[in-house]
Amino acid sequence: MKPIILQGHERSITKIVYNREGDLLFSSAKDKTINVWFSLNGERLGTFDGHNGAVWGIDVDWQTTKLVSGGADNTIRLWDCLTGVELGCLSTQSAVRTSKFSYSGTSIAYSTDAALKQNCEIFLGDVRGDNLRNPYMTLPVRDSKVTALLWGEVDELLIAGFENGEISQWDLRMAKEVNNICEHNNSINDMQTSKDGTLFVTASKDNTAKLFDIDTLECLKCYKTERPVNSAALSPVYEHVVLGGGQEARDVTTTSTRAGKFDARFFHLIFEEEFGRVKGHFGPINSLAFHPDGKSFSSGGEDGFVRVHTFDQSYLDYRFDVGS
Amino acid sequence: MAKKDKAAQQEKKNEANENEEPNFSDEEGFVDRISDQDLLGDILAERPKETDGVESIIVVDKGPRVEPEKLNKFKSVINSFFSEPGQIVSAYYPVGEDGKTKGYFFLEYASPTIAQNAVSIYNNAPLDKNYTFAVNPFTDFKKYEEIPAWEPPTPEPYKPLPNLQYWLLDPDAFDQYIVRNDMNLVQVWHNTLPQPQVICEKEGWTETYVQWSPLGTYLVTFHKLGVILWGGPEWERIMRFHHPGAQFVDFSPCEQYMVTYSPQTENVNKKLIIFDIRSGAEMRSFSLEMPAIWPIFRWSKDDKYFARITRNLLSIYETPSFGLLDKKSINVSDIKDFSWSPTDNILAYWVAESKDGPARVVLMEVPSRKELRTNNVFNVADCKIHWQKSGDYLCVKVDRYSKIKKEKNDIKYSKMYYNLEIFHMREKLIPVDSIEIKEQIHAFAWEPVGSKFAIVHGEPKNVTVSFYNVKTKQDPVCLKKFEKRTCSHLFWSPHGQFIVLAQLLADSGALEFVDTNDFASMNTTEHFNASEVEWDPTGRYIFSGVPQWKSKIDTGYWIWSFQGKILKRYNTTSFVQFAWRPRPPTLLSPEQLKDIKKNLKKYTSEFEQKDRTRMTKASKELIEARCKLMDEFKKSITKRMQRWKDKKKRRLELRNHVDTDDLEGADAGSVEEESIEFLIKVEEIPVE
């Protein structure tokens, strides 16, 4: 089916995220703006204006009341989803790379980049009462930089993926790092949970995506490609995982889109077999998201476009042959 | 010091005077029972012998016989002639009964090293135009006296060779290929269905690269000290060939002989060595004075002759004598290139234009040296000789110019056009057809069997691929033109009919698979950055590859069916070399082949049945593997789901007791309806 192309950004898309119901799609880009769209027809509902630099991470709470965003302008901001009004803004010492709502939507976690004399840090903030107060907890980060962040199932765990490929897990009740693994050997660009929150998939620059148990951090599956993976998302209804990425923009020496491999690639979650590709972007895919009903998915690319793809019936009917 | 010594001597004298010296003389009648040998054997052993110093003596022979009156003058001549390495200590000139010297004489130098030098300097040195000295060390007498009696060598026990043709006995005729990676891990694969398998794997099997012999019997590996041939079902070492620094190997077509080339060897006379493969014996070695195009030696189809060209010479050698045919090379001034017919002992060569005449293409029969056909061509910049594999036709691609400009040593051609001169080898007097092509020709390829050929011509980015058919007593007909293609190379199937048009330049890798029976394009596809393409020897599969030394990304090799269907992608970062194992020509007679083609339907159904069985088995295996994975995953899921269920209460607490576990959960009723507009059509109505 013909995808809907959302042309609301002037620079590379950094993150796209659906709200829980999936009727809205939020997108952030390096052009300082955050857009919100109707996922069904691609109509733009509005913008969240205020950032003075690239917006790196956005997230929406489960009730679609608040939006959190962090950016290269060294701020973390909280927005009212309905009106687009900025509810709060906090300055940080360096660029905010990731920001995430907890399961309950009462807390946010965000991480800042390492900069001159400034170490990478993870902050936890309370967002009850519709404003942004100073963080109540700071987790120091050792040598590497946080590049992806996740909340565990019930507001108790925090999981961070690092630039060096490591993954760390904190128990927030004790504010203590409880687990650390190194399954990837290059930057972890994205981490997304399964619908029930028990599994998560990583996307790494080492050309693979891997599936982990969120509690034990046990690596369950590995999906291999030939290009850095920037984002990976798990289907909420099928045992499918979609991977997006491609040659890094600065490494693209050729003009052929086929050479960069900018396709969204579908793998079977358990068999690790690739079964389909969706072409379209003419630059690497930076962010991928499944619609919560699993009947469509969206991708945001380095080319500045967001593409909303509704699956054909043949995809929904497709079953892997596992005998009878 | 001196004073002290004197004092010491004085003292000694005094002592001697005080104690009178005892008498050491033997008593009368004393018989010494101890021999000198026992007493001072070690000292006696070092006693100089008569033969001591013979190492310093040389024997000079083949000199003149000199009369006594001239002897003195002769001696002084010899003295000065031979004194370059060192002073002559003594000389002896034996004289015969007639008073003349005997023609040989002995010279002694101060040391054996000087004598050795003298031998190497003066052996075969001419005194004047009548006499050339033969110089040997004196010790040669002893050396040749002591040659042990010849013993007939004991026959080596017979060691049967492994079956070198074993791979041809594969019931399904699956082919083999080798794959090498950058660490010189060499793998031999068996191209079995549905998945190829590795049958042999050796790390560091070679030091540079590997190569198959032309009939596929041997695999060549390269090492510091030479090359090694491997073969047989166990990949045993069949034969070693010593040639330090050998970098290139070329085989004679019947695999009787092998030429190795070591460009950097210090031994200039052994740059090129020809070996007999089965015995391992070196047959002849050659030096190489000027750079040449590899293979330097080119072999006739039956291994009987091999030839090379040097500046103005065409040298044809015979086997097994390895001497020049008729003991002399053929003088062909300005010979540029030559090539043997693949099926007959006919050699084609071309000669560049000179002041005396036009460029010529000559067909010469060997060994008679009869010129079967000479074709003169004018305004020639370059020629390329293309034999059809069945030897039925020869095409010489002639690059011709309209204008020539000479600048110092550079010659600049302009307004180029191209001729294809086609020789009909099987017809009487070898008639020649000529086709003129105005555009630049990038590639030419004969269909290996049949009478078709294909050329790529035109602007490099937008070429035309033309197919021609050659007919008896008719001009060649253009069968088909594929216009606006990206194509730089042509690859015919070894059995003809199918051809792959490939663009193997950087940033491309376009592949088009064409059936030339109806000129249908079966598939147009791409292996990005591919620079290598090779058909398997049966014409069923094609390999395309991106070696690591050509490209940093997407290295690996893919295997396609002849219809252009991708069968397998091996994306390995370390891939460097791929080569199909060649097959010898079929042993079936033309009648048998015809018979098979007639009954193809019968065989097809058999093979299809076999393929189906294999596919069923493979899909069964795949399904089993999937089932296993699924079961394992489900097991791990149960634990997780339990944990998840346990946390249900906590989840509800966190979200104000709204069940969000399902999308259509408890709060489904509270969803607000929103109306959304869809753009269905855009209509433009011009305002009047």
Side-chain angles (χ1 to χ4, degrees):
Chain A
M1 192 188 143
K2 211 179 153 207
I4 305 170
I5 299 162
L6 311 183
Q7 308 182 34
H9 290 286
E10 285 167 358
R11 287 195 62 201
S12 316
I13 308 297
T14 53
K15 195 96 184 164
I16 58 166
V17 57
Y18 280 98
N19 65 343
R20 189 176 58 84
E21 288 87 355
D23 59 331
L24 300 178
L25 179 65
F26 296 85
S27 63
S28 67
K30 290 184 186 169
D31 64 1
K32 308 175 189 177
T33 59
I34 302 163
N35 284 324
V36 56
W37 317 77
F38 279 122
S39 65
L40 204 56
N41 63 354
E43 184 188 332
R44 186 160 73 174
L45 211 62
T47 58
F48 299 87
D49 300 325
H51 273 290
N52 283 320
V55 185
W56 291 121
I58 53 167
D59 197 19
V60 60
D61 74 341
W62 67 280
Q63 287 168 303
T64 324
T65 53
K66 280 170 274 185
L67 181 82
V68 63
S69 65
D73 57 353
N74 298 359
T75 60
I76 175 91
R77 290 169 202 250
L78 190 71
W79 311 83
D80 184 86
C81 273
L82 195 64
T83 60
V85 170
E86 191 180 300
L87 298 173
C89 173
L90 281 180
S91 286
T92 51
Q93 293 300 312
S94 54
V96 181
R97 181 63 49 175
T98 61
S99 57
K100 283 274 178 182
F101 274 107
S102 72
Y103 183 80
S104 64
T106 55
S107 289
I108 54 163
Y110 56 98
S111 73
T112 55
D113 279 357
L116 279 174
K117 291 182 188 168
Q118 183 63 40
N119 276 337
C120 173
E121 282 173 309
I122 299 171
F123 300 97
L124 291 154
D126 190 341
V127 290
R128 280 176 298 188
D130 291 346
N131 62 14
L132 203 51
R133 281 177 291 231
N134 280 329
Y136 61 81
M137 194 191 286
T138 306
L139 302 171
V141 173
R142 285 181 306 251
D143 5 86
S144 194
K145 171 181 123 180
V146 175
T147 45
L149 202 60
L150 265 190
W151 283 83
E153 286 166 84
V154 284
D155 288 19
E156 287 161 7
L157 291 176
L158 192 72
I159 292 138
F162 293 96
E163 201 172 24
N164 62 9
E166 286 181 36
I167 297 172
S168 280
Q169 189 186 51
W170 283 270
D171 188 325
L172 297 174
R173 289 167 297 187
M174 300 178 281
K176 188 181 152 194
E177 188 177 336
V178 285
N179 204 347
N180 175 276
I181 55 164
C182 191
E183 291 279 352
H184 283 291
N185 50 35
N186 210 327
S187 175
I188 292 170
N189 291 326
D190 189 25
M191 298 197 296
Q192 294 193 31
T193 57
S194 60
K195 188 182 158 230
D196 59 19
T198 56
L199 298 169
F200 70 95
V201 64
T202 55
S204 170
K205 208 178 163 184
D206 69 2
N207 301 1
T208 65
K210 287 181 179 176
L211 185 72
F212 293 90
D213 183 306
I214 207 161
D215 270 358
T216 61
L217 295 192
E218 181 193 354
C219 180
L220 302 168
K221 296 286 166 189
C222 177
Y223 315 97
K224 287 180 191 147
T225 76
E226 305 83 42
R227 289 290 185 280
V229 185
N230 291 338
S231 187
L234 295 160
S235 165
V237 288
Y238 297 117
E239 278 137 351
H240 294 167
V241 51
V242 60
L243 270 57
Q247 212 162 2
E248 263 193 276
R250 62 159 182 247
D251 295 336
V252 178
T253 52
T254 55
T255 48
S256 170
T257 50
R258 273 177 289 188
K261 303 217 169 137
F262 308 132
D263 305 346
R265 304 170 66 166
F266 284 78
F267 284 76
H268 192 274
L269 184 77
I270 298 160
F271 309 143
E272 303 173 351
E273 291 172 45
E274 187 180 349
F275 65 93
R277 289 187 185 193
V278 175
K279 285 192 204 319
H281 285 286
F282 49 88
I285 290 174
N286 287 340
S287 186
L288 277 169
F290 260 105
H291 189 283
D293 69 4
K295 288 176 186 160
S296 65
F297 82 102
S298 297
S299 54
E302 188 73 20
D303 56 11
F305 298 123
V306 178
R307 301 171 71 93
V308 183
H309 305 261
T310 307
F311 290 115
D312 291 331
Q313 195 57 39
S314 61
Y315 166 82
L316 304 173
D317 292 342
Y318 181 74
R319 292 287 176 278
F320 268 75
D321 192 357
V322 285
S324 46
Chain B
M1 272 299 275
K3 266 187 184 170
K4 247 189 185 171
D5 276 353
K6 262 185 185 169
Q9 269 174 17
Q10 200 65 41
E11 245 178 49
K12 264 191 184 166
K13 255 188 185 170
N14 293 345
E15 260 176 57
N17 287 342
E18 280 165 26
N19 314 315
E20 199 159 315
E21 201 172 318
N23 188 5
F24 291 111
S25 307
D26 292 336
E27 282 171 39
E28 292 268 327
F30 172 82
V31 180
D32 201 347
R33 281 168 299 147
I34 307 164
S35 70
D36 283 359
Q37 192 57 45
D38 288 346
L39 213 54
L40 14 114
D42 51 340
I43 296 166
L44 282 176
E46 285 172 23
R47 183 159 59 177
K49 292 186 202 78
E50 257 178 70
T51 53
D52 274 2
V54 288
E55 288 92 354
S56 314
I57 300 172
I58 58 168
V59 187
V60 184
D61 200 357
K62 291 190 181 172
R65 299 191 63 196
V66 187
E67 286 103 22
E69 48 271 29
K70 285 186 179 167
L71 186 59
N72 271 338
K73 195 179 174 207
F74 179 66
K75 276 181 182 172
S76 69
V77 169
I78 291 302
N79 241 326
S80 62
F81 188 85
F82 281 92
S83 60
E84 193 192 308
Q87 192 64 43
I88 294 167
V89 179
S90 70
Y92 174 64
Y93 297 83
V95 178
E97 283 172 6
D98 56 358
K100 284 183 179 175
T101 61
K102 286 187 168 177
Y104 56 86
F105 49 89
F106 304 88
L107 302 174
E108 187 178 353
Y109 288 100
S111 79
T113 20
I114 299 173
Q116 264 171 27
N117 272 343
V119 170
S120 62
I121 295 171
Y122 300 118
N123 192 22
N124 290 328
L127 175 69
D128 52 31
K129 64 182 172 194
N130 293 328
Y131 297 102
T132 302
F133 290 125
V135 183
N136 287 296
F138 192 79
T139 47
D140 274 6
F141 280 112
K142 199 175 171 192
K143 188 170 132 197
Y144 292 115
E145 269 168 12
E146 284 173 3
I147 287 174
W150 183 78
E151 270 177 49
T154 46
E156 290 266 338
Y158 174 68
K159 206 179 113 212
L161 273 178
N163 181 1
L164 296 175
Q165 264 81 34
Y166 89 97
W167 91 100
L168 300 172
L169 302 174
D170 186 89
D172 292 307
F174 291 134
D175 277 295
Q176 294 185 356
Y177 58 85
I178 61 100
V179 176
R180 185 169 63 87
N181 79 4
D182 57 342
M183 301 303 288
N184 281 331
L185 169 77
V186 181
Q187 293 174 324
V188 182
W189 287 72
H190 201 203
N191 194 22
T192 44
L193 283 172
Q195 295 293 329
Q197 292 163 350
V198 178
I199 47 172
C200 181
E201 182 180 69
K202 290 187 191 183
E203 218 162 306
W205 201 348
T206 178
E207 282 168 39
T208 51
Y209 61 104
V210 291
Q211 185 181 332
W212 291 106
S213 65
L215 303 179
T217 318
Y218 308 103
L219 180 72
V220 191
T221 60
F222 293 81
H223 306 272
K224 270 197 195 79
L225 290 178
V227 300
I228 302 178
L229 302 191
W230 308 77
E234 303 300 321
W235 295 97
E236 289 166 56
R237 193 167 69 202
I238 307 299
M239 192 61 82
R240 265 196 288 199
F241 299 90
H242 181 80
H243 191 187
Q247 287 181 11
F248 300 93
V249 153
D250 184 42
F251 286 83
S252 66
C254 306
E255 293 185 347
Q256 283 188 60
Y257 307 107
M258 182 176 77
V259 188
T260 58
Y261 173 38
S262 171
Q264 253 89 52
T265 182
E266 284 170 14
N267 193 340
V268 286
N269 291 325
K270 286 204 188 270
K271 289 224 163 186
L272 288 153
I273 300 181
I274 303 180
F275 291 99
D276 181 291
I277 290 173
R278 258 171 290 177
S279 70
E282 179 183 325
M283 304 311 288
R284 192 171 167 179
S285 60
F286 293 87
S287 60
L288 186 69
E289 287 83 19
M290 49 188 260
I293 304 159
W294 185 259
I296 293 157
F297 290 108
R298 296 173 204 174
W299 295 82
S300 70
K301 51 105 187 175
D302 52 5
D303 286 12
K304 272 199 177 142
Y305 306 100
F306 60 99
R308 77 191 280 196
I309 50 171
T310 41
R311 203 174 301 279
N312 290 322
L313 284 181
L314 171 66
S315 312
I316 305 174
Y317 299 84
E318 281 178 299
T319 61
S321 73
F322 287 86
L324 275 168
L325 179 68
D326 302 335
K327 298 201 168 60
K328 59 176 184 286
S329 297
I330 306 163
N331 251 317
V332 191
S333 45
D334 278 331
I335 184 164
K336 287 290 178 188
D337 199 10
F338 76 105
S339 180
W340 288 92
S341 158
T343 51
D344 302 275
N345 279 343
I346 296 173
L347 192 143
Y349 65 85
W350 79 278
V351 176
E353 271 175 334
S354 64
K355 279 175 208 150
D356 313 326
R360 279 180 301 139
V361 177
V362 181
L363 291 176
M364 189 174 71
E365 195 180 63
V366 177
S368 68
R369 299 184 174 195
K370 201 174 112 193
E371 291 193 359
L372 298 175
R373 187 74 161 88
T374 306
N375 209 28
N376 289 340
V377 256
F378 299 89
N379 301 349
V380 175
D382 194 15
C383 283
K384 283 274 173 322
I385 303 169
H386 299 275
W387 282 96
Q388 190 229 20
K389 203 177 140 203
S390 315
D392 299 343
Y393 305 99
L394 164 73
C395 172
V396 179
K397 189 195 98 179
V398 189
D399 298 4
R400 302 178 66 185
Y401 59 87
S402 312
K403 272 186 180 170
I404 185 165
K405 213 168 132 189
K406 283 185 186 164
E407 278 177 11
K408 289 172 196 166
N409 292 327
D410 290 349
I411 299 171
K412 277 188 183 166
Y413 300 109
S414 55
K415 291 197 180 160
M416 300 293 291
Y417 60 104
Y418 303 85
N419 266 34
L420 298 173
E421 306 280 325
I422 291 155
F423 294 71
H424 295 248
M425 299 302 296
R426 302 285 182 236
E427 287 169 47
K428 216 174 169 185
L429 294 172
I430 313 182
V432 180
D433 287 326
S434 185
I435 305 171
E436 190 175 307
I437 309 275
K438 287 283 176 205
E439 296 167 313
Q440 195 188 350
I441 299 177
H442 305 289
F444 175 96
W446 282 105
E447 186 178 16
V449 286
S451 53
K452 283 196 280 269
F453 66 83
I455 53 170
V456 180
H457 55 98
E459 287 298 310
K461 294 234 159 135
N462 193 8
V463 297
T464 305
V465 182
S466 301
F467 292 89
Y468 285 85
N469 195 17
V470 182
K471 285 185 178 171
T472 317
K473 285 177 188 151
Q474 259 185 47
D475 285 342
V477 203
C478 179
L479 297 171
K480 180 83 183 172
K481 273 184 195 291
F482 283 119
E483 280 170 349
K484 293 182 179 165
R485 289 298 200 273
T486 49
C487 170
S488 64
H489 290 72
L490 299 167
F491 298 94
W492 282 95
S493 156
H495 295 299
Q497 186 179 346
F498 303 103
I499 188 169
V500 175
L501 320 178
Q503 172 82 348
L504 301 183
L505 308 174
D507 294 341
S508 183
L511 302 170
E512 183 170 356
F513 296 75
V514 176
D515 179 351
T516 59
N517 265 5
D518 51 2
F519 291 102
S521 173
M522 296 185 292
N523 193 14
T524 306
T525 171
E526 185 190 51
H527 181 183
F528 189 75
N529 265 341
S531 62
E532 323 281 305
V533 168
E534 193 184 328
W535 280 86
D536 84 319
T538 60
R540 293 176 293 180
Y541 304 101
I542 300 153
F543 134 87
S544 68
V546 183
Q548 185 229 30
W549 42 274
K550 271 272 172 69
S551 170
K552 281 198 190 88
I553 52 164
D554 291 329
T555 50
Y557 63 96
W558 296 1
I559 294 175
W560 312 76
S561 78
F562 71 98
Q563 295 144 313
K565 195 179 135 202
I566 183 77
L567 300 176
K568 202 74 202 160
R569 292 185 177 96
Y570 293 92
N571 291 322
T572 49
T573 45
S574 55
F575 166 72
V576 287
Q577 195 194 357
F578 179 103
W580 290 101
R581 185 172 202 174
R583 276 172 181 273
T586 178
L587 297 174
L588 297 174
S589 65
E591 290 76 36
Q592 284 170 308
L593 284 174
K594 220 173 160 186
D595 204 43
I596 291 172
K597 275 186 188 160
K598 223 171 90 190
N599 297 318
L600 200 60
K601 277 211 172 124
K602 191 181 107 199
Y603 296 114
T604 313
S605 62
E606 267 175 44
F607 285 123
E608 276 176 353
Q609 181 57 40
K610 239 178 171 178
D611 280 352
R612 261 199 301 277
T613 325
R614 264 197 287 265
M615 289 314 288
T616 329
K617 199 176 149 225
S619 60
K620 215 175 121 196
E621 279 168 13
L622 182 71
I623 285 169
E624 274 168 16
R626 281 177 177 175
C627 284
K628 208 177 137 213
L629 285 172
M630 188 60 102
D631 287 346
E632 281 171 14
F633 198 77
K634 286 221 166 112
K635 257 180 227 161
S636 76
I637 269 185
T638 359
K639 237 197 265 167
R640 259 194 303 280
M641 287 321 286
Q642 190 54 49
R643 219 167 61 204
W644 187 64
K645 279 179 192 151
D646 294 346
K647 285 182 185 162
K648 175 104 183 175
K649 199 175 146 240
R650 180 82 184 119
R651 273 204 302 278
L652 284 171
E653 277 170 22
L654 284 171
R655 285 193 172 175
N656 311 331
H657 296 278
V658 180
D659 188 353
T660 53
D661 286 353
D662 289 308
L663 199 57
E664 313 290 329
D667 67 327
S670 67
V671 172
E672 281 173 44
E673 288 289 326
E674 189 104 31
S675 61
I676 286 175
E677 290 171 6
F678 276 92
L679 181 71
I680 296 168
K681 200 160 73 171
V682 178
E683 241 179 291
E684 276 185 39
I685 303 164
V687 184
E688 290 183 22

